[in-house]
Amino acid sequence: MKVSWVTDESRVPSTVYYGTTPEKYDSSGTGEHTSYRYFFYTSGKIHHVTIGPLLPATTYYYRCGGSGPEFNFRTPPATFPIEFAVAGDLGQTGWTTTTLKHMNATNYDVLLLPGDLSYADTEQPLWDSFGRLVEPYASRRPWMVTQGNHEQETFPIIYPNGFKAYNTRWPMPYELSGSKSNLYYSFDVVGTHIIMLGSYADFSDQYKWLANDVARIDRSQTPWVVVIIHAPWYNSNLAHQGEGESMRVAMEEMLYNSRVDIVFAGHVHAYERFTRIYDNNADPCGPIHITIGDGGNREGLAMLYKEPKPSLSIFRESSFGHGRLRILNNTHAHWSWHRNNDTTAVVADEIWFQSLSSSPSCIPKIEPNVQLTQVNDEL
């Protein structure tokens, strides 16, 4: 686990003390610290410390820098079942607060966030307030994120490459999966291979990395494959129409041949679930596409849809909420979308489905342990 925190005091050591008993720390980890400038803003001291190895399904108590409050987190289990909470486009509104409380009301093992975190949009103090907002939740469970358009924060000549605050504050374990960019990476947890793609990262380099990543997937060890993007490839909402199309054209065939089970996206501030789909047609061996950019944000909901509803779209609704993916075993999983009501989250859409790796007619077309290094010259 990587623990990240920010201090105003520069002399605080980048050390995390931890153990399995409150107030008793028999282990520690030391990491690194950094800071960044963005125009006239200078961040605090940003600490990143990796601790472990850790036991599965175990609560650890920890203190950052040797002082301050004690926190605790629970590690994911070693075997099925495992539950992922999924919420995109969070922001810092009253809707965000409700979504976070609803997600936290029942236990989950890992949060998957398909981009648009703080909505700072160059106002750097909003990154600090976002950290304070999510700390009670992100300090207790692993939060695995990818970037959205609101993380770009580019400025001609001065900050042409963007993602300065995002990459400094939210480093993901990209190097462990052979990626050269914090904007896309993969990881394994309890029989599930999670691929976090970058809708706003270079497609050529990302394609090369993705080809090697999917070629190494061993479905006997990770029978489930889940992909996270920001801009949806399929979308019947009038908002952000076609913005994921270039990425779909570049990468969809590879995900289809790899028999990805489900693709989560954000960006559109609404919820929508599609049938299994490939190349704009229903396909029993294609992934289920789900848009879940309804976590909070500050721009409101995307209320307008194409009419009549396309046959590929199974359920759609403009409401705030979050999702739950509970993988029971090698073959079966349950997905539910929880609409935000005033005090409780109401299950408004749900489905049981089977892993493609367990379907005899959907054998992956890319063999594991094959290294792919060539990229189509047209990309």
Side-chain angles (χ1 to χ4, degrees):
M1 297 282 280
K2 177 174 285 185
V3 181
S4 300
W5 76 100
V6 183
T7 60
D8 293 326
E9 174 56 60
S10 61
R11 290 174 293 181
V12 174
S14 299
T15 302
V16 172
Y17 300 90
Y18 63 97
T20 56
T21 304
E23 302 290 340
K24 184 179 180 180
Y25 314 125
D26 51 17
S27 300
S28 66
T30 300
E32 59 184 14
H33 62 269
T34 186
S35 64
Y36 72 97
R37 292 182 59 87
Y38 191 92
F39 290 104
F40 301 109
Y41 172 89
T42 301
S43 74
K45 185 177 179 180
I46 304 173
H47 308 259
H48 302 297
V49 177
T50 300
I51 61 175
L54 306 174
L55 297 172
T58 302
T59 298
Y60 284 88
Y61 301 85
Y62 66 102
R63 181 166 279 124
C64 301
S67 61
E70 180 182 75
F71 298 96
N72 69 82
F73 67 84
R74 186 168 179 81
T75 53
T79 58
F80 292 124
I82 184 170
E83 184 164 339
F84 299 93
V86 190
D89 300 69
L90 278 180
Q92 306 178 54
T93 67
W95 301 310
T96 311
T97 300
T98 300
T99 298
L100 292 172
K101 289 181 178 178
H102 287 172
M103 283 197 301
N104 200 55
T106 56
N107 284 329
Y108 63 90
D109 299 301
V110 179
L111 173 76
L112 303 176
L113 203 167
D116 283 359
L117 284 71
S118 70
Y119 282 77
D121 293 322
T122 75
E123 297 180 43
Q124 296 306 298
L126 291 178
W127 278 108
D128 296 307
S129 58
F130 180 75
R132 291 189 290 270
L133 174 66
V134 303
E135 180 187 76
Y137 313 98
S139 61
R140 296 175 59 85
R141 292 292 186 274
W143 277 37
M144 306 302 288
V145 308
T146 189
Q147 94 288 167
N149 54 300
H150 287 277
E151 276 72 66
Q152 286 180 293
E153 299 185 308
T154 55
F155 196 89
I157 301 175
I158 302 175
Y159 302 111
N161 298 319
F163 303 108
K164 188 168 187 178
Y166 172 78
N167 284 334
T168 306
R169 293 174 180 269
W170 290 83
M172 295 289 110
Y174 66 93
E175 294 170 321
L176 296 179
S177 62
S179 171
K180 297 180 180 178
S181 171
N182 190 50
L183 304 181
Y184 50 89
Y185 62 98
S186 67
F187 65 98
D188 292 337
V189 57
V190 192
T192 309
H193 186 69
I194 312 285
I195 302 174
M196 311 289 277
L197 295 180
S199 293
Y200 306 95
D202 178 84
F203 285 176
S204 180
D205 289 343
Q206 190 172 183
Y207 184 99
K208 296 176 186 177
W209 168 81
L210 180 61
N212 282 280
D213 187 76
V214 297
R216 289 193 295 264
I217 298 174
D218 183 350
R219 297 303 276 267
S220 68
Q221 298 298 314
T222 53
W224 295 91
V225 180
V226 175
V227 168
I228 311 293
I229 57 178
H230 185 64
W233 295 355
Y234 294 96
N235 170 30
S236 74
N237 196 290
L238 295 184
H240 302 300
Q241 268 296 315
E243 293 184 19
E245 181 64 8
S246 59
M247 190 181 194
R248 184 193 71 81
V249 171
M251 300 182 186
E252 184 180 30
E253 183 178 8
M254 191 186 305
L255 298 191
Y256 176 73
N257 289 340
S258 303
R259 299 301 188 241
V260 168
D261 292 288
I262 190 166
V263 176
F264 291 111
H267 202 36
V268 176
H269 299 160
Y271 171 76
E272 185 165 18
R273 174 171 62 87
F274 289 84
T275 188
R276 291 197 176 277
I277 191 170
Y278 171 61
D279 197 20
N280 290 289
N281 292 293
D283 191 306
C285 296
I288 297 170
H289 282 258
I290 293 177
T291 300
I292 189 155
D294 57 348
N297 81 79
R298 65 184 184 189
E299 299 168 339
L301 292 165
M303 303 293 292
L304 301 178
Y305 287 96
K306 290 181 177 181
E307 297 294 349
K309 184 176 74 171
S311 60
L312 297 173
S313 177
I314 304 301
F315 186 98
R316 59 187 190 177
E317 182 176 314
S318 295
S319 297
F320 291 106
H322 76 282
R324 299 272 179 159
L325 175 62
R326 183 168 177 81
I327 300 179
L328 275 298
N329 50 42
N330 288 2
T331 60
H332 287 82
H334 180 260
W335 165 256
S336 56
W337 175 63
H338 302 243
R339 179 198 302 124
N340 287 358
N341 279 15
D342 291 337
T343 57
T344 60
V346 176
V347 176
D349 180 45
E350 60 182 325
I351 181 177
W352 284 94
F353 61 101
Q354 188 173 346
S355 62
L356 293 179
S357 64
S358 64
S359 172
S361 60
C362 296
I363 298 173
K365 295 182 180 180
I366 296 180
E367 295 296 329
N369 302 318
V370 175
Q371 293 295 314
L372 301 180
T373 57
Q374 300 301 312
V375 179
N376 192 314
D377 291 338
E378 296 177 358
L379 292 178

